[in-house]
Amino acid sequence: MSSCEENFSTAFGIVCDLVEIEILKSAEPAQKKRKRSKRSVWVRPWITRRKMYGFSTTLLSETREEDPKSFRNFLRMSPEKFDELLILVKPYLTKNDTTFREAIPVKLKLEVVLAYLATGCSFGMLEACFRVPKPTISQFLVPVLQTISTVLKKNLQVPSTAEEWRVVMEGFNSKWNFPNCYGALDGKHVRIQCPPCSNSNYYNYKGFFSTILFALVDANYKFIYVDIGKNGRVNDASIFRECSLKKGIENGTIRFPKGGVLVGDDAFPLSHYMMKPYAHHGSLTEGEIIFNYRLSRARRVVENAFGILVSRFRILTRPIDLVPQKVDEIVKTVCCLHNWLRQTSPSTYFPFGCVDHEDLESCSIIPGTWRNEISEMQPMQASSSRNYTKDAAAIRNSYKDHFMGPGAVEWQWKHLNRQ
C-alpha cells in the first residue's frame, strides 16, 4: 500500500470514530441538569411570627411569672439563675442587626440551648417550639456552649493549693469516713451516633458508639477534673494512664498532697495514690470485706454525680446525633452547669432523695431518684491488669488495718454480718 493510501486510510478511520461517538451520544437519553429552585421567601412566614407565638414569648414567659417550678423543669434552673447566666454570657454573644434582618437575641439563644441540653429535643422540635430555623440553631449552638463553659470555668478546676486539697480531703473524711482521700475517680460512656469515617473507633464493649466522660469528683458530688472525648473503645485504666491528672500528680504540678489517695473501682490499677477494692478471687477476709465496703461508700459519690448529671440534662439519655467535637462541647458545658448549680442553688438542683442514701441501721442502700429515671450512661470496661507494687499493696493493707482498728465505725460490723 502506498503512503498516500495509508494516510487516506488513517484519516478515514478517525472520521469513522468521530461519527460513531456522535451517534452514541445522540442515542443516550438527555440528562437534565438540576437547577436550584429559587427561594420563594427569605424566611418562612410562620418563623417571622416568633415574637408573637414562640416559646420564649408564650410558654417561658408565662411559667416564669406563674409557675417558676415548671420554668425550672424546662431549663433546669430557676428564673433568677437564668438571668444571672444571661448577664454572664451576653457580652460575648451579642450580635448587631443588619439591613437585611434582626439579630437573634442572646436571651433566645440561651433558652434554645438550655432547652436542648435539658430535654434532648431534636433541632426540628426546637425549631417548631421556638420558631428558630434548624440551620440557625446549628450555627449558634457551639458558640453558646463554649461561652457558657468559659464564663463558668472557675467552677470546674482541679485544686492547685494545699488549702483547696485539704477541703476535699475533709469532705471525704467527715461525710464518707475515708481518711486522706482526695477524690473519687470513674468514667462513663456517653452515647453518640456513629461518627462519619470512624470505622469502629467509637464502638465500645457494650455494643454501641460512645465518647467517654472521665472525671474526678469531690465529696459533695462536684466535678473537680474532667477528661472528655476519648473514643468508646478505651478503658478507664488507659485513659487515666494518659490523662493530665495522672501526670500532674506524678510530676507535682497540681500539688497533690503527699500520701494522699484517690478511690476507684476495679477498672483502675492499684498504686500508691490509687486505691481499689480487693479482688473477689476466692474468699475475702473480714478486713478485706470491710475495706471494700468503706471504699465503696467513698467511691459512690462519683456514680451519683454522673447519675444526677444525666437525669438533669436529658441530652445525655439518648444517642447524640452530632460530630464528636460538638458532643465534647455539650459534655463539658453540662459539667460546668452541674457544678455551678450545685454550688449556687443546691436546694433546687439537688433536692433531698436525688442521690443514694445509706440506712446505717440496716446497712442497706436507698437508691436515689435518678436511678429510676436514667440507665443510659454505662460504666467503663474493667482493666485486666493486676500488676501493682509492694508499696501500693502495703498502703491498701494499712487502710484495711485502720478500718478494723482505730478507724472502725460501729455500723460497719452490720455490713459484715450481712455477708
Side-chain angles (χ1 to χ4, degrees):
M1 183 181 294
S2 64
S3 60
C4 186
E5 289 176 337
E6 288 182 1
N7 293 337
F8 176 79
S9 178
T10 302
F12 181 76
I14 294 173
V15 171
C16 289
D17 290 342
L18 293 174
V19 171
E20 184 178 359
I21 291 173
E22 291 298 325
I23 292 173
L24 291 174
K25 283 184 177 182
S26 62
E28 294 177 356
Q31 296 182 356
K32 296 181 180 180
K33 293 183 179 180
R34 289 185 63 186
K35 293 183 178 180
R36 188 175 181 179
S37 58
K38 293 183 178 180
R39 183 181 293 178
S40 57
V41 292
W42 185 257
V43 180
R44 287 165 288 175
W46 67 275
I47 294 288
T48 63
R49 293 189 285 274
R50 175 193 307 138
K51 293 182 179 180
M52 291 186 291
Y53 304 117
F55 259 29
S56 181
T57 306
T58 56
L59 180 66
L60 289 180
S61 294
E62 292 171 357
T63 55
R64 182 187 183 93
E65 299 298 330
E66 302 172 11
D67 190 2
K69 183 178 179 181
S70 293
F71 182 97
R72 185 174 65 247
N73 288 339
F74 192 71
L75 297 185
R76 294 299 187 253
M77 61 184 67
S78 66
E80 294 76 20
K81 298 306 297 181
F82 177 84
D83 292 341
E84 185 178 338
L85 183 59
L86 179 61
I87 293 172
L88 293 174
V89 302
K90 195 169 185 178
Y92 304 96
L93 296 173
T94 301
K95 301 292 183 181
N96 296 324
D97 296 337
T98 68
T99 55
F100 295 101
R101 69 186 78 177
E102 292 182 358
I104 296 180
V106 177
K107 175 176 175 288
L108 179 57
K109 291 180 182 178
L110 186 59
E111 288 171 340
V112 171
V113 171
L114 290 178
Y116 176 64
L117 299 178
T119 65
C121 289
S122 66
F123 285 2
M125 181 62 70
L126 293 172
E127 177 187 66
C129 293
F130 287 93
R131 300 187 181 231
V132 178
K134 289 189 292 184
T136 305
I137 296 175
S138 180
Q139 189 175 23
F140 68 64
L141 174 66
V142 172
V144 174
L145 292 172
Q146 291 175 336
T147 302
I148 294 174
S149 300
T150 300
V151 300
L152 299 181
K153 65 180 180 181
K154 66 180 180 180
N155 297 280
L156 180 54
Q157 292 182 336
V158 180
S160 57
T161 66
E163 176 60 21
E164 290 174 344
W165 282 115
R166 185 188 63 79
V167 172
V168 176
M169 181 270 294
E170 289 181 350
F172 276 98
N173 193 30
S174 62
K175 290 188 174 184
W176 307 110
N177 308 103
F178 205 100
N180 217 27
C181 177
Y182 292 88
L185 198 63
D186 202 359
K188 291 294 182 182
H189 289 277
V190 179
R191 287 179 180 264
I192 62 174
Q193 295 288 351
C194 177
C197 305
S198 65
N199 297 320
S200 61
N201 287 340
Y202 288 86
Y203 195 73
N204 63 42
Y205 78 107
K206 288 287 187 177
F208 58 87
F209 293 92
S210 67
T211 185
I212 294 171
L213 166 60
F214 185 75
L216 182 69
V217 175
D218 71 7
N220 296 306
Y221 310 100
K222 175 188 170 185
F223 296 105
I224 55 179
Y225 171 83
V226 293
D227 185 295
I228 302 166
K230 296 296 190 298
N231 68 70
R233 295 185 65 184
V234 185
N235 60 38
D236 271 355
S238 299
I239 297 176
F240 183 59
R241 186 169 56 247
E242 302 297 329
C243 75
S244 58
L245 176 65
K246 181 177 185 294
K247 296 175 183 177
I249 292 174
E250 294 181 349
N251 61 27
T253 55
I254 63 172
R255 298 182 180 180
F256 189 77
K258 185 177 181 180
V261 298
L262 306 177
V263 292
D265 58 17
D266 281 329
F268 297 96
L270 183 68
S271 71
H272 67 277
Y273 56 82
M274 172 60 69
M275 292 292 100
K276 60 180 289 185
Y278 285 97
H280 291 269
H281 296 312
S283 59
L284 297 177
T285 66
E286 289 187 353
E288 290 171 343
I289 293 173
I290 292 298
F291 173 86
N292 286 359
Y293 164 66
R294 297 283 292 270
L295 183 139
S296 71
R297 295 184 74 248
R299 196 195 63 79
R300 199 180 302 132
V301 295
V302 65
E303 186 177 343
N304 277 274
F306 284 137
I308 292 299
L309 183 74
V310 179
S311 67
R312 295 296 182 264
F313 299 100
R314 310 291 289 195
I315 184 64
L316 302 177
T317 64
R318 65 173 182 83
I320 304 176
D321 191 13
L322 295 173
V323 297
Q325 293 77 11
K326 291 186 178 181
V327 175
D328 294 348
E329 293 295 340
I330 288 173
V331 175
K332 182 180 179 181
T333 301
V334 297
C335 288
C336 289
L337 286 169
H338 168 93
N339 279 6
W340 179 61
L341 293 170
R342 176 73 181 104
Q343 290 178 277
T344 59
S345 57
S347 60
T348 55
Y349 183 71
F350 260 61
F352 179 77
C354 66
V355 297
D356 295 344
H357 289 78
E358 185 175 14
D359 183 349
L360 298 181
E361 290 298 323
S362 63
C363 214
S364 59
I365 304 300
I366 303 171
T369 55
W370 68 265
R371 293 186 182 275
N372 300 324
E373 299 175 2
I374 60 105
S375 60
E376 288 297 325
M377 292 192 75
Q378 301 293 335
M380 297 290 295
Q381 183 177 9
S383 171
S384 59
S385 175
R386 293 294 180 266
N387 297 322
Y388 49 83
T389 65
K390 291 182 179 180
D391 289 342
I395 293 172
R396 182 166 64 177
N397 288 334
S398 68
Y399 269 100
K400 177 190 67 175
D401 296 339
H402 176 73
F403 292 150
M404 293 295 288
V409 291
E410 60 182 28
W411 66 84
Q412 71 182 34
W413 310 116
K414 298 177 183 178
H415 174 80
L416 186 62
N417 295 331
R418 294 177 64 224
Q419 298 302 303

